[in-house]
Amino acid sequence: MPHTTDKRISKELARLLYLGRHQAKGGRPTLDPTDRGQLAFQALLFECLMSTREHLHPLEQPRKSAMASISGYLNVIWHQPGHLEIHTNTAYRVASRILPFLHEDHGVCGIPGLRLIDFTCRRARLVHVPTGGRLDLVDSHRWHGKDIARMVFRQETSWHLKDGRSPLWRQNGLTDEETAHHACWAYTASTPLRSAVLMRSMPLWYRFDLSPAWVTGHPTHSDRLIWDAHSDTVHDRVVELLTRSKARIPGARYREKTPCSGTLELGSGSAELISTL
């Protein structure tokens, strides 16, 4: 019975991915977009969120670790037609940590090319100009009136306006400083894989109590998602989630290399999953 099966799968996905009442009605939730621009943006967002104080993203602010702490604010990562929704306890604060900022010594911090479209009493609507990717940050709290929402947004982003400077996210197009980071949003073989893991990140942080970090490759090793495991079974549970559960990544395969490590493959893209005990 297709209807019964879809309802059961939808319920299981909601449990696995913390979707709650946001699960799709009458069928499975759509987890993965097909638009190349949206995929490229989500892959970049994944790398920014999968960072820690020990493994900072190259676009992290010096001495602030702003992006490395965002996961603690998130409640739901949810695909909608045409955009990604992230439900959070403090939408404007999360926005302030991923909107681009030009640091006087470090250069561009945050996500180059990310722009604020507008905000409401509960939602910050963002667009990534180079890819066209869309992100809505939805607050768990609704502010009473646009004036209060505007005041809160200004408070959260006030450090972007230090010394009277104009924030990058108020620019109409890309600045030269942002364009220099074009490799960050380039579509590569691993783009669909990184985007897919983003959509399945909530249980990594909350169910498994992990702090994963994405470490880009160099000549001696490939791109890696690494974490400190709390038990011998955690690595197997992550592999189960990504490759064999109802929330599995379509077409992904896991090839074990050594205990608690291996390669996750999707198409021609791959990444090592490594847990350190």
Side-chain angles (χ1 to χ4, degrees), residues 37-56:
Q38 186 69 30
L39 283 168
F41 167 64
Q42 291 183 184
L44 170 56
L45 181 61
F46 161 76
E47 294 190 30
C48 293
L49 298 185
M50 290 292 172
S51 61
T52 65
R53 287 173 172 81
E54 292 74 28
H55 299 280
L56 294 176

Side-chain angles (χ1 to χ4, degrees), residues 110 180 193 222 264:
L193 179 59
S222 62
L264 183 66

